[in-house]
Amino acid sequence: ASRVPVMVYNVPGRTGTKISPATIAELAKHPNIKAVKEACGSVDQVSEILGLCDIEVLSGDDSLTVPMMAVGAKGVVSVCSNVIPREISDCVRSALKGDFAAARRAHLAWFDLGKSLFVESNPIPVKTLLGELGLIEKELRLPLEYGQPATVNIVKDLIAKYRLRP
């Protein structure tokens, strides 16, 4: 019943179920359903969706952005962009222009960051990283808690490895 554009979130890690490509294609027939955040971890899923309809697909997995864009996704709903917005934007722009050599370089340069920001449930690791950089308070709203000690150590290693600064 929405009168505004809608993005379907297909995030089985949060919901416990995956929306099938056929169901997404059926939903895409509605004039207000404009896009899908595809976080199934599958380039095949994106290929199937785009073979069935012309809905705009956005990667919901930072680490799969470039592979998904190679088969037709238009961008990413990114966790990493909270930390490295320019780099993610440049990567997506390169892929949209068809410069997959540049997109691949960016993807590989930041791949570990994207994977590491999911060592605990999102958004805990990225908020922990932002807290360690001093960009946000080190206290999260319940039911979330600041990262576990192992996550804090991973985040500190990422800050050093990528020379991240506020």
Side-chain angles (χ1 to χ4, degrees):
S2 174
R3 288 187 232 159
V4 297
V6 173
M7 179 187 306
V8 174
Y9 266 49
N10 194 10
V11 187
R14 295 272 184 178
T15 63
T17 189
K18 177 178 90 167
I19 304 171
S20 73
T23 299
I24 291 171
E26 188 64 29
L27 291 169
K29 293 176 183 176
H30 190 284
N32 290 346
I33 296 182
K34 304 294 186 184
V36 58
K37 172 186 173 178
E38 190 51 57
C40 289
S42 171
V43 176
D44 287 353
Q45 173 93 356
V46 174
S47 298
E48 288 181 47
I49 291 167
L50 293 173
L52 294 171
C53 64
D54 63 356
I55 193 169
E56 186 167 294
V57 176
L58 299 169
S59 174
D61 299 301
D62 279 284
S63 64
L64 287 176
T65 300
V66 172
M68 286 183 176
M69 290 185 75
V71 298
K74 299 296 182 190
V76 61
V77 179
S78 173
V79 172
C80 289
S81 64
N82 289 283
V83 181
I84 52 167
R86 179 178 305 133
E87 291 82 355
I88 297 301
S89 179
D90 289 347
C91 177
V92 168
R93 281 192 186 104
S94 293
L96 287 171
K97 289 189 299 189
D99 185 353
F100 281 95
R104 184 179 64 247
R105 282 191 301 275
H107 168 81
L108 294 174
W110 298 100
F111 180 79
D112 287 341
L113 177 70
K115 293 301 276 186
S116 297
L117 290 179
F118 288 89
V119 295
E120 281 191 64
S121 183
N122 181 46
I124 293 170
V126 72
K127 286 185 176 277
T128 301
L129 193 152
L130 295 171
E132 293 300 312
L133 287 172
L135 295 171
I136 65 170
E137 297 294 323
K138 290 185 178 184
E139 187 174 312
L140 307 181
R141 280 186 313 194
L142 292 175
L144 298 178
E145 294 182 359
Y146 203 70
Q148 298 295 316
T151 300
V152 173
N153 289 336
I154 289 168
V155 158
K156 287 180 178 179
D157 289 345
L158 291 170
I159 290 169
K161 176 180 180 177
Y162 292 107
R163 297 183 180 132
L164 300 173
R165 300 289 169 250

